[in-house]
Each structure stands twice: as C-alpha cells, then as structure tokens.
Amino acid sequence: MDIARQREIASKGGRAAHEKGTAHEFTKDEARAAGKKGGEAVSQNRRHMADIGRKGGERVSQDREHMAHIGRKGGEAVSGDRQHMAEIGRKGGESRGSSKSQPPAAPEREQT
C-alpha cells in the first residue's frame, strides 16, 4: 500500500475517533513531554543534526539583508558592553604598539 493511501485511511480513523469522542487529546504537559522525548531521540544522531545545521546555515547566509541585520544586532549588543570594548581596544593597541613603537629585541648570544 502506498503512503498516500495509508495516510488517507489513518486520517479517516482519526476523524471518526474524534467524532465518536474516543480520540486521545494531549494535555500541554503530555505534548511537551512527547516533544522532548522525540527531540532527544533525533538529536542523538550527530550526523543528522550536523546536516540540519549546515542546511540552515547555508539558507540563512544567502539572505544578505538578514545577515546584515544579525551583524548590526550583534554589534549593538557587544558595543553596549563598555568594559568589553575597552579590553578589545587595549589589546589592539598593545599589539600595534609593540610592533610599531619598539623594534623587536635582538636575540641574546651565549658568551663562551
């Protein structure tokens, strides 16, 4: 039996059970627990999860406007942390300062 026919039969059974009043309806807690259980089972397949992440990343990164928006939001969030920004500036200044203002030290020679 093909999948379309199986779904059609299952759908009829589901509708009949609801009309009869015997269909099980999940509570929010039951649905949450079932979703969590399914998510845990799927997430154990690392290759599958990596494929999902790669496809999502490729799709999102093709939307240049969306990527620009993400970059702006990230920049705004980071630049709001003044201590973090000061630390970045210090590190940048130190790396530039050591190479421009002072020549590299000559290697020490051993005395014989």
Side-chain angles (χ1 to χ4, degrees):
M1 182 182 314
D2 70 338
I3 291 179
R5 181 71 177 135
Q6 282 181 319
R7 287 185 180 184
E8 182 184 333
I9 293 169
S11 179
K12 285 181 181 178
R15 280 195 296 274
H18 279 282
E19 288 173 9
K20 189 175 174 185
T22 58
H24 179 74
E25 303 221 1
F26 285 94
T27 66
K28 286 182 181 181
D29 290 337
E30 287 174 323
R32 185 178 299 116
K36 183 177 179 183
K37 187 175 181 180
E40 289 171 353
V42 170
S43 66
Q44 289 178 0
N45 183 342
R46 295 182 59 80
R47 178 176 286 165
H48 175 67
M49 295 305 290
D51 288 343
I52 290 171
R54 198 171 9 271
K55 286 179 184 176
E58 288 169 0
R59 178 165 292 156
V60 168
S61 65
Q62 290 174 357
D63 183 348
R64 295 181 61 79
E65 185 176 328
H66 177 69
M67 294 304 291
H69 179 70
I70 290 171
R72 277 192 300 277
K73 284 178 76 174
E76 290 167 1
V78 170
S79 65
D81 183 347
R82 295 181 61 80
Q83 184 176 355
H84 176 70
M85 294 305 290
E87 189 174 314
I88 290 171
R90 267 193 305 281
K91 286 181 180 177
E94 290 169 2
S95 68
R96 283 188 167 189
S98 64
S99 64
K100 285 190 174 184
S101 63
Q102 298 175 349
E108 293 183 26
R109 294 187 179 184
E110 289 184 26
Q111 294 182 1
T112 54

